[in-house]
Amino acid sequence: MLYTFVPVLLLRTLIAGSAMSILVACAAERPAQATPSMPQQQEASTGTVLAVSNEPDIAVPQQSFDEWRDSFRLEALQAGIPAELFDRAFAGVTPDPSIISADRSQPEFTRPVWQYLEGALSEQRVSGGKRLLNQHSATLDGIETHYGVDRNTLVAIWGLESSFGQIMGDKSVIRSLATLAHEGRRPGFAKSQLLAALEILDHGDIDADQLRGSWAGAMGQTQFIPTTYNTHAVDFDGDGRRDIWNSSADALASAAHYLQASGWKAGQPWGFEVALPTEFDYALADSSIRKPLAEWRRLGLANLPAGNDDATASLLLPAGYRGPAFLILDNFRAILRYNNSSSYALAIGLLSERFDGAGKVRASWPQGEQPLSRSERLELQERLSNQGFDPGAADGIIGGNTRSAIRSFQQQLGWPADGHPTQELLGRLRAEP
C-alpha cells in the first residue's frame, strides 16, 4: 500500500485509513527475528521464507539523509509534532543499511502450507498457549466481555506474532522508518508511519529509546504498525499508557479491539473443514463467492456443523483441489485484516482450536507437490498474460486476479478450475505456442 506525502489534513485522514491494513511479522516463521513483509493488497501463495534473492539495485535518493530529515522536520512540525520532541527523537539517528537490505529482498522460495502449519501449530506453541490461557484467565474474561473476541484467537495471535511476547524486534522504530522513508521502496507509506510513531511519543505512551520493533516498524507483542497503534491500541490495565510492549493485557486487548473493528462476530466460528462431493465445481473456491451455509449444504458439502444456516461463507482450498477444503466465515476475514495471508489466518483458526484439543486437519495434504518459486510465479503470470488471460501485474503474488486467470486457463484445458498454481500448470503453459 503506497502513500505519498500530502498536506496535513489529508495526511491525517490517510493515516487513520491505513490502520485497517496492519503489518505483522509472524513469529511462527522463526526461532530468531524474521524479515516481515510490508502491508500487501494481495496475499502470497504460501508463507515462510526459505531463501532470499535480492532485487535489482534501486536508484540512490536525490537528497542526502540530512537534507531529507530537515525537510521532514518541517512537515512533522506542521502536522503538530513539537520541535523539541522531533529533535530528541532524531538525535543521533542515521540510516541503517540493514533496513534497506531487508526492504529490497524478496523471498524466492516459500514453504508449502502444510509445512507452514506444522511450524505454526507446534506442540511447544500449543502447550505455551494453554498455560497462558490459564495464567491470564481473569484478564481474558474482561477482554472477551468488552470486545466480544474469544480468548483462544487472541492467544493464538499472541503466539504467532511474537512467540507470546518473546520475539518483538529490537530495532529503533524511528531509525527504521526514517531509513525507509528516505530510500525505501515505499517512502510515502514509511513517512506516514514515521509521523504516527512521533505521535506515539508525543502521546507519552513510551519513550523514544523504548520504541522498538521489527525492521519495518511493527511493534510490540501484537506487532502493530504505528498507525494501527494510534487508532486501535488501548490501555486495558489502567496504568494510563497503551503499552503493547510490556503489558500483555494492553497487547491482547488492542488485538481484540482491532479484530472487533474488522468485523469480528462474537460466538461465530472462523470456519471449519468440509468434505466436497464428487464432480464438484472447484471454480466455486473463490474468496469473492459467498454463499449461506444452507446453500453449501445443498451443493453437497459434508461435515458442516448444525445451525448458522444464514451465515455466509467462502470455500478455501489452500493447496488446491487435491488438499483439504474449508468453509471460512466473517471471523476468518477479520483475521485476514490482521495479516492478509490465508495460511496465516488458517493457522490462527486451527491453533485457537488446538488449545481445546481440536484443530486437527482430517484430509491429506498433497505433500509431493513442490510450490512455485517466486521466479516461477512471475513466469506463470507472464505466460498467462501472453495467452490472453489477465493475471494483473507480474509481481510474483498469487492474488485474486492471478487465481481468476488460472481458473480460466484450467477451464480451457478441462482441468479442475481451483485457481491453484502448480508446477504442472506452469509446464502446460510452457508448452503453449
Side-chain angles (χ1 to χ4, degrees):
M1 186 173 295
L2 302 178
Y3 301 133
T4 55
F5 201 88
V6 293
V8 175
L9 291 178
L10 181 55
L11 173 62
R12 289 191 180 278
T13 301
L14 287 173
I15 288 174
S18 68
M20 299 309 289
S21 179
I22 184 171
L23 168 66
V24 290
C26 183
E29 309 294 29
R30 47 174 162 81
Q33 184 64 27
T35 298
S37 62
M38 291 298 286
Q40 47 194 4
Q41 295 173 315
Q42 305 175 29
E43 70 171 284
S45 56
T46 50
T48 306
V49 175
L50 296 182
V52 169
S53 65
N54 291 329
E55 289 186 327
D57 290 340
I58 298 174
V60 176
Q62 297 298 311
Q63 286 183 312
S64 69
F65 181 79
D66 288 348
E67 290 170 335
W68 171 86
R69 180 201 59 217
D70 292 344
S71 175
F72 176 65
R73 184 180 186 275
L74 294 175
E75 296 171 346
L77 267 55
Q78 290 173 356
I81 300 299
E84 181 275 333
L85 184 148
F86 184 98
D87 295 339
R88 176 161 40 87
F90 270 81
V93 170
T94 58
D96 183 346
S98 70
I99 300 297
I100 296 303
S101 177
D103 185 49
R104 295 181 183 176
S105 296
Q106 293 291 322
E108 175 62 20
F109 299 104
T110 58
R111 277 182 172 179
V113 59
W114 53 90
Q115 289 184 10
Y116 169 79
L117 291 175
E118 184 179 359
L121 308 178
S122 69
E123 286 301 321
Q124 181 180 7
R125 184 167 285 107
V126 172
S127 61
K130 289 179 177 179
R131 175 178 56 80
L132 291 167
L133 279 164
N134 290 327
Q135 180 180 334
H136 296 275
S137 60
T139 297
L140 291 165
D141 283 342
I143 293 173
E144 278 187 334
T145 299
H146 192 81
Y147 295 106
V149 179
D150 79 87
R151 65 190 63 205
N152 284 28
T153 298
L154 295 174
V155 172
I157 287 174
W158 192 16
L160 263 66
E161 290 306 323
S162 67
S163 194
F164 307 114
Q166 298 180 71
I167 306 170
M168 295 185 286
D170 194 38
K171 288 188 174 293
S172 163
V173 171
I174 297 297
R175 187 186 188 196
S176 296
L177 292 173
T179 302
L180 292 170
H182 176 235
E183 57 177 315
R185 291 182 298 123
R186 300 171 175 88
F189 177 83
K191 187 184 286 189
S192 72
Q193 296 305 314
L194 180 56
L195 180 59
L198 291 171
E199 291 174 339
I200 293 172
L201 297 178
D202 190 32
H203 190 270
D205 286 317
I206 195 167
D207 294 331
D209 61 345
Q210 297 177 311
L211 187 64
R212 310 193 77 80
S214 73
W215 69 263
M219 311 177 302
Q221 298 183 37
T222 46
Q223 292 290 277
F224 276 14
I225 54 172
T227 49
T228 301
Y229 176 97
N230 283 338
T231 55
H232 291 87
V234 297
D235 171 24
F236 200 77
D237 62 15
D239 68 353
R241 298 184 302 124
R242 300 173 297 170
D243 187 358
I244 63 173
W245 296 267
N246 304 299
S247 169
S248 57
D250 287 1
L252 292 167
S254 297
H257 185 209
Y258 185 84
L259 289 174
Q260 180 194 55
S262 298
W264 187 272
K265 293 187 176 178
Q268 189 179 96
W270 61 268
F272 32 81
E273 186 179 0
V274 295
L276 304 180
T278 56
E279 305 301 322
F280 182 74
D281 180 6
Y282 293 102
L284 294 175
D286 185 329
S287 61
S288 67
I289 297 175
R290 300 183 184 184
K291 296 179 180 293
L293 294 184
E295 177 64 19
W296 288 114
R297 285 193 182 91
R298 284 194 289 271
L299 289 169
L301 275 66
N303 301 331
L304 280 70
N308 285 323
D309 278 5
D310 293 333
T312 60
S314 300
L315 181 62
L316 173 68
L317 303 178
Y321 77 97
R322 295 186 179 96
F326 301 87
L327 281 181
I328 54 173
L329 286 77
D330 286 337
N331 289 347
F332 189 94
R333 300 180 192 114
I335 297 170
L336 287 175
R337 299 296 295 271
Y338 207 105
N339 185 324
N340 190 27
S341 162
S342 62
S343 298
Y344 172 88
L346 186 59
I348 294 296
L350 293 173
L351 181 57
S352 71
E353 294 178 353
R354 290 282 179 97
F355 296 148
D356 291 332
K360 301 287 186 180
V361 178
R362 296 185 298 271
S364 299
W365 296 99
Q367 298 201 18
E369 181 180 296
Q370 179 184 352
L372 299 181
S373 68
R374 180 172 182 270
S375 299
E376 288 170 330
R377 295 195 300 271
L378 285 165
E379 181 187 354
L380 177 79
Q381 291 171 320
E382 291 167 352
R383 289 184 179 276
L384 283 169
S385 181
N386 291 339
Q387 290 299 317
F389 303 100
D390 183 16
D395 54 9
I397 298 172
I398 307 299
N401 290 337
T402 301
R403 292 188 187 279
S404 178
I406 290 173
R407 287 190 191 92
S408 296
F409 183 57
Q410 289 170 327
Q411 289 168 335
Q412 179 176 296
L413 296 173
W415 293 7
D418 59 5
H420 183 59
T422 63
Q423 295 287 346
E424 182 182 15
L425 184 77
L426 179 58
R428 187 65 181 81
L429 278 165
R430 286 169 174 165
E432 291 293 313

